[in-house]
């Protein structure tokens, strides 16, 4: 079994361990941040960690009302600018904690008076030493080049943090159990990927809480299957990109029941008219009925808590499609685990 | 000649007219905003307008130090959240001024105490009536489905606004003349597109000030040429997407001389090793020497002022490639001019 599949399977345990180990630290941090009256949160990351930040952005804005900005690291590293971040919380997210540009942004932010937080899998990393506070993902070393367990671990931290900063109840404790449940889709996914062996292009669609997942699955498909995978919100998809769709063009949707359902139904209806091929990761029977194929998720998972359970069958899809295509998902061509950018 | 080509050619005049007509209004607005001590700017748009906002984000952060967030409209429209935007300037950008979701975000922001600004081509639009202040693009009606002259008009407004909010001198007055100069590349582009007639996939790369252009050219290629066009920053491209590159895979780069040059040189070197096919829009001889093909821009254009002149040969490329592929760029399949999303 590939390292990637092994690490996908570890996720329920990683999520549970991370809650147990970090919950009290997050609670203290939340208390501290509420007193500080943070009025802006800036998220800094690249790659899969940046996709986790997309969720972080929606979660925090939707539950706390604090505006969130996804940082453009070049502002600091290339244009040498100083942003006014005095009342900001700046959160760096990095699996390895060694992304030079991310750490440079954190250091800059710290010097200009921001409170800095690191979310990383490596307790001895540069990021962990640099940030005012660090939240750890308890994933063990991630050996696969394609990030899986650290991606969901990062997402979980955003749920835990939002729970502390929000007055709403956020039932993140349910997530490890959902993760366990959806791992049972593996044999279904194993059958399904055979149909996509010759897929060379596709579009991945997600909206709201699942927007970041559309980026993450597209990235996994590029990394491990060499599929040219576009990613869009269903809202943006109607602004132009729709023109690329022709007969049998594959579109993969994260389409849970809930607030994003109508927009996905509209898109699926349009895709059906265009004779496109749609694959929905969904727990909604109406969505499934309109899709060419679907992976059925447990009905009880709320849209708000769906991003972590939803990405798991998608990770399985990428890992198993990679093998079906005769590729080794653990050794994608041209890539290495830690990428240094300035 | 297609409407798209006609409207591309109108750009120098549109830019000049917009400066003449709006400059004094922008100056007054700048004065007013400096007094208000705005501490956050939120940009709200979809499609090409959202790509213009990408430039707006880099421009404003790099020159004023005010943090900028690119809004996620769903936070307001689907999740019904109220963000704390009391000291924020919220800028809606829309060609037609009729994007329902964009206007809904502006209305929400206004009600929660933010100062709102609209940037639009239509003085009688819902957006113009709704916003506290409106900056107009003087483009005349945009008839082509693919936005060109309103995109560069929107970008120009961000330069004018940054000039008022920044202590740095920003020489945006040079831009209309640069636009005029680069239109002369048309015959070169006409020859060049023949080489790409059978291109089905590609990646467009841009970084920093030209990051939004990578999204915009990708969108134009999807809309008018039905090419599955990915878009990345050269920094992000090394995090995974690089794996899709194989022999002769086409990569188009916005690669001016200046602060982003090194990162583009690194990428081009890597692409050469992988036998990929690169096309650079550049004014740098070293970049051109490393590229399979290049479109040479005037040497005197600074990276900071390059985004508007750089997109013009790219627009020409999409419009002319569309025709070379036997498509009518004015009538992309599946699309209409105004897209309503909620």
């Amino acid at each position: 079994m590939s390292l990637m599949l092994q690490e996908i399977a570890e996720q329920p345990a990683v999520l549970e361990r991370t809650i147990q180990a970090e919950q009290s630290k997050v609670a203290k941090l939340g208390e501290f941040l509420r007193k500080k009256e943070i009025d802006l949160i800036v998220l800094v990351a690249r790659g899969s960690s940046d996709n986790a930040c997309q969720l972080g952005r929606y979660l925090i804005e939707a539950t706390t009302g604090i505006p969130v900005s996804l940082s453009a690291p070049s502002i600091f590293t290339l244009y040498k600018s100083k942003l006014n971040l005095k009342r900001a919380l700046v959160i760096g997210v990095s699996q390895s904690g060694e992304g030079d540009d991310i750490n440079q942004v954190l250091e800059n932010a710290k010097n200009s008076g921001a409170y800095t937080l690191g979310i990383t899998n490596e307790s001895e990393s540069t990021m962990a030493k640099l940030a005012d506070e660090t939240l750890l993902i308890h994933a063990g070393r991630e050996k696969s080049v394609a990030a899986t367990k650290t991606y969901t671990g990062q997402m979980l931290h955003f749920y835990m943090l939002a729970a502390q900063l929000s007055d709403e109840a956020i039932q993140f404790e349910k997530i490890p159990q959902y993760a366990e449940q959806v791992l049972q889709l593996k044999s279904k996914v194993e059958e399904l990927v055979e149909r996509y062996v010759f897929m060379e292009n596709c579009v991945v669609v997600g909206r709201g809480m699942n927007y970041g997942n559309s980026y993450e699955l597209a990235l996994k498909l590029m990394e491990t299957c060499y599929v040219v995978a576009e990613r869009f919100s269903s809202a943006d998809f109607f602004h132009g990109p729709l023109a690329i769709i022709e007969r049998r063009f594959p579109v993969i949707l994260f389409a849970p029941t809930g607030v994003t359902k109508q927009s996905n139904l509209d898109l699926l209806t349009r895709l059906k008219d265009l004779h496109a091929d749609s694959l929905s990761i969904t727990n909604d029977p109406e969505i499934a009925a309109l899709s060419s194929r679907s992976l059925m998720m447990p009905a009880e998972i709320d849209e708000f808590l769906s991003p972590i359970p939803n990405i798991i069958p998608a990770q399985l899809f990428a890992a198993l499609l990679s093998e079906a295509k005769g590729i080794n998902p653990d050794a994608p061509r041209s890539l290495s685990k830690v990428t240094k950018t300035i």
Side-chain angles (χ1 to χ4, degrees), chain A residues 188-214:
Chain A
K188 278 250 163 59
V189 177
E190 213 150 14
E191 280 169 44
L192 188 69
V193 293
E194 289 301 322
R195 188 168 182 273
Y196 298 86
V197 162
F198 298 105
M199 176 171 79
E200 293 184 348
N201 302 314
C202 76
V203 165
V204 187
V205 169
R207 196 173 174 192
M209 298 296 161
N210 280 285
Y211 181 55
N213 273 347
S214 71

Side-chain angles (χ1 to χ4, degrees), chain A residues 3 29-30 54 59 64 70 96 116 122 170 189 231 237 239 277 305:
Chain A
L3 289 171
L29 177 67
Q54 290 276 11
L59 269 181
T64 72
L70 292 159
S96 66
T116 57
E122 297 293 340
I170 298 179
V189 177
R231 62 286 186 223
F237 194 57
H239 286 259
D277 198 284
L305 293 177

Side-chain angles (χ1 to χ4, degrees), chain A residues 13 64 124 127 132 141 165 204:
Chain A
T64 72
E124 298 301 311
M127 177 180 278
D132 291 306
R141 181 62 45 87
L165 297 178
V204 187

